Amino acid sequence: MFTIIILAFLLLAAALAVAIGMAMRNAANRGWSFELSRVIGDAFGAIAQAPLLFAVTVLVSGAAPMVGALLLIGVSDVSQVPSFFSAMLVGLAALAIGQLGNLLLVAATLDLLDRQPIDLPRLVARVLPRIPSAVLLLILFWFAIGIGFVFFIIPALVLTCLWFVVTPAMVAERLGAFASFARSAELTAGVRWQLLLLLVIGAIFWLVAQAMIGGIAAITGDGQGASVLYTVLTALLGMIPPAVVASAYHTLRTQKEGLRGDDLEQVFA
């Protein structure tokens, strides 16, 4: 087990070194800048402006179903196994709820980066029509990523960088699933090494945060209390990815295309 952990960290270190080198080389050949510090700073700045919205959204859309499942496992009769059809319906419902929360946080981040006040009813009305497309997008995304992992991880990393801003493209431009994939590929052209570097940094941060959360949960002892605490704290980490991808989309669109007509209307509204 210890050997596997060491190999994993060595792999991350190698990926980090390669990504840094290629990102620096790639940045020197562009006439515009894509600064990861700006992307990360804007993401955390958006979270800081609406911490309650982000925390409640991830807890309701992410932690609540998981905590409910943990409690159900603890109190239910194991002989009462749900049917495959029921389990599939519950899974799709959980997926839709999760995507609703993800879309809400992406939309909120984009509004905050555009210096617009948060209007929750407007945000909900904006993202609700996108739920079916978002569920389809998520299924297609992870299906493709899963196939990529079968072929020695590299294709999965390529696809992840290619489709890094697929969700904010869907939210901001009201696109369908397939059009969102194409739009993300268009926007990420020329910055995919930087996005790979961002993914590696995120993976390292996630491993460290998970270890800290595991330690905090272990202090509380064993049982359902520790499991619930671990689930809630892990879910709170879910505030970060939607904000980061939305910030990356906002930066890419601004740097590559500037303000569009609808953006100008919002500025002078």
Side-chain angles (χ1 to χ4, degrees), residues 28 59 62 69 75 184 266 269:
L59 288 176
V75 302
S184 179
Q266 292 173 358

Side-chain angles (χ1 to χ4, degrees), residues 5 15 71 79-80 90 119 123 136 140 146 181 200 220 237 262:
I5 295 175
L71 295 176
S79 64
Q80 297 176 353
V90 171
D119 184 348
L123 287 177
L136 175 61
L140 293 174
F181 283 120
V200 174
T220 64
L237 286 177
D262 53 348

Side-chain angles (χ1 to χ4, degrees), residues 50-101:
L52 186 61
L53 172 64
F54 277 81
V56 171
T57 300
V58 296
L59 288 176
V60 171
S61 64
M66 290 187 288
V67 170
L70 288 171
L71 295 176
L72 185 62
I73 291 172
V75 302
S76 65
D77 184 357
V78 294
S79 64
Q80 297 176 353
V81 179
S83 65
F84 173 77
F85 182 72
S86 299
M88 185 176 66
L89 287 179
V90 171
L92 285 175
L95 193 63
I97 293 172
Q99 280 297 83
L100 173 61

Side-chain angles (χ1 to χ4, degrees), residues 141-226:
F141 179 90
W142 285 112
F143 179 76
I145 296 299
I147 293 177
F149 270 109
V150 173
F151 294 97
F152 305 105
I153 302 178
I154 300 301
L157 293 176
V158 172
L159 291 176
T160 303
C161 295
L162 191 72
W163 297 335
F164 193 83
V165 296
V166 64
T167 301
M170 170 179 284
V171 172
E173 303 180 35
R174 298 178 176 86
L175 302 175
F178 296 101
S180 298
F181 283 120
R183 178 62 171 153
S184 179
E186 176 187 355
L187 285 173
T188 57
V191 298
R192 288 166 194 155
W193 282 110
Q194 282 85 345
L195 294 177
L196 177 61
L197 176 57
L198 184 58
L199 286 173
V200 174
I201 293 172
I204 295 173
F205 171 81
W206 198 269
L207 289 173
V208 173
Q210 285 287 348
M212 294 175 63
I213 290 173
I216 294 172
I219 294 174
T220 64
D222 298 327
Q224 287 186 355

